[in-house]
Amino acid sequence: QVQLEESGGGLVQAGGSLRLSCAVSRGTFITYAVAWFRQPGGKEREFVGGIGWSGQSTYYADPLKGRFTISQDNAKNTMYLEMNSLKPEDTAVYYCAARRGGAVPAEKSKYDYWGQGTQVTVSS
């Protein structure tokens, strides 16, 4: 069973940057697509973006394009989320998720495995 562990969350001022990591164990990027979701307090979990299992295609939620960048290191079995120009509305618990197959759907129900999440707080 795939296990996911996020790290890198914390408190940052508006306009700052943060990089989150998602370590994938008992699975590889060859057979799993991985994605980032986030859940602001009291709101639904929403799609941030992801990488298809080949690592050749990345996908982003439209509002986040240009500020967020997703990458992966196959040798380390780790996915990253680089967040720049952070805003207070980016405050959320950030989760990584994985699913078999190459597609990266935005629906959280399509993912089979989830990490425990890491809190990101952006102060104004």
Side-chain angles (χ1 to χ4, degrees), residues 3 17 21-23 31 38 46 49-50 54-55 69-70 73 78-79 82 85-86 96 98 100 103 110-112 124:
Q3 293 183 339
S17 299
S21 300
C22 173
T31 54
R38 67 183 185 182
E46 61 185 21
S54 67
T69 303
I70 295 172
D73 184 331
T78 300
M79 176 177 65
E82 184 79 34
S85 302
L86 283 163
C96 62
R100 285 191 176 273
K110 300 289 180 66
Y111 292 81
D112 305 305
S124 57

Side-chain angles (χ1 to χ4, degrees), residues 4 6 20 22 35-39 45-46 48-49 79 81 92-97 114-118:
L4 307 169
E6 306 92 339
L20 306 183
C22 173
W36 288 99
F37 285 77
R38 67 183 185 182
Q39 187 165 16
R45 194 170 298 188
E46 61 185 21
V48 172
M79 176 177 65
L81 175 64
V93 178
Y94 284 71
Y95 298 89
C96 62
W114 292 85
Q116 300 226 348
T118 185

Side-chain angles (χ1 to χ4, degrees), residues 3-66:
Q3 293 183 339
L4 307 169
E5 183 174 2
E6 306 92 339
S7 61
L11 175 64
V12 63
Q13 288 189 331
S17 299
L18 207 58
R19 188 178 80 158
L20 306 183
S21 300
C22 173
V24 181
S25 59
R26 301 182 184 179
T28 70
F29 294 128
I30 295 175
T31 54
Y32 291 90
V34 287
W36 288 99
F37 285 77
R38 67 183 185 182
Q39 187 165 16
K43 297 185 180 180
E44 291 289 319
R45 194 170 298 188
E46 61 185 21
F47 179 73
V48 172
I51 296 184
W53 65 354
S54 67
Q56 296 178 350
S57 299
T58 52
Y59 306 86
Y60 299 93
D62 285 342
L64 302 178
K65 287 179 180 177

